[in-house]
Each structure stands twice: as structure tokens, then as C-alpha cells.
């Protein structure tokens, strides 16, 4: 019985995190974006999350497969590839990182 409860809880967490990743949000951003969307809807405007690039691209960005990296080499096998950017700025729909700042695989 305990195993079923744990499996159900993990399934709910999996669904929750899939939804967050597919929208390009963290859990905090989800609440912020929800209130912003409600505020803008009252003004007759539509809110667009600047970090949402579509489900497929959001997962590629999460896994680091955005720039011609292979799933087999960089996800399943241990790799030493560096993350993109400097950790302080991120690409958004209004800001694109300089491609020269994205290091290639070591």
C-alpha cells in the first residue's frame, strides 16, 4: 500500500515538472506568471512567458541538446560539456545570448 502511495506521489511530481519544463518555468515563475497573466487579462492584454520556446525546444535546452549535441554522447554517457551562457543571463524571446559565449563540447 505504501508503494502505491509513493508511486502516485512521484507520478504527480513527474506531471507537474513536465508541465513546468514544457512552459519554460520554475515553480516560483509559475506563480508569478499566473498573477501577471491575470493582471494583464484584466487590462485586455495577453501575457507571454519570455522563456517559453515551445515544449520540444524547452526540453532540448534543459538537456543541453540545443546546439547539435547528441543524446547518446551527452545525456546517456558521462560528459564534460560546459553549460551555455554565464549563469547570470539567459536567452529569452527578447534577448539572445552571443553565440561566441556558448562554449563547445570539451
Amino acid at each position: 500500500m505504501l508503494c502505491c502511495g509513493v508511486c502516485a506521489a512521484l507520478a504527480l511530481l513527474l506531471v507537474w515538472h513536465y508541465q513546468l519544463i514544457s512552459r519554460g518555468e520554475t515553480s516560483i515563475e509559475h506563480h508569478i506568471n499566473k498573477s501577471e497573466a491575470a493582471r494583464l487579462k484584466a487590462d485586455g492584454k495577453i501575457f507571454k512567458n519570455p522563456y517559453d520556446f515551445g515544449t520540444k525546444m524547452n526540453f532540448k535546452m534543459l538537456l543541453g541538446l540545443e546546439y547539435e549535441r547528441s543524446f547518446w554522447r551527452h545525456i546517456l554517457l558521462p560528459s564534460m560539456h560546459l553549460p551555455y551562457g554565464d549563469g547570470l543571463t539567459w536567452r529569452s524571446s527578447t534577448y539572445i545570448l552571443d553565440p561566441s559565449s556558448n562554449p563547445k563540447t570539451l
Side-chain angles (χ1 to χ4, degrees), residues 22-93:
S22 67
R23 290 188 303 244
E25 298 176 323
T26 63
S27 55
I28 300 297
E29 288 172 337
H30 171 72
H31 296 291
I32 294 169
N33 292 347
K34 191 172 156 184
S35 63
E36 276 297 300
R39 184 181 67 82
L40 289 175
K41 186 176 181 180
D43 292 341
K45 298 177 182 175
I46 298 174
F47 174 78
K48 177 171 179 348
N49 179 5
Y51 301 107
D52 185 6
F53 294 97
T55 302
K56 186 176 180 179
M57 189 60 178
N58 287 342
F59 273 95
K60 281 182 157 186
M61 290 172 71
L62 173 77
L63 296 172
L65 300 173
E66 189 176 6
Y67 297 105
E68 300 181 20
R69 291 183 171 173
S70 74
F71 178 79
W72 296 104
R73 184 169 172 218
H74 291 88
I75 301 300
L76 295 180
L77 298 174
S79 65
M80 295 179 52
H81 67 280
L82 298 173
Y84 292 112
D86 59 5
L88 299 175
T89 55
W90 290 269
R91 189 174 88 176
S92 71
S93 59

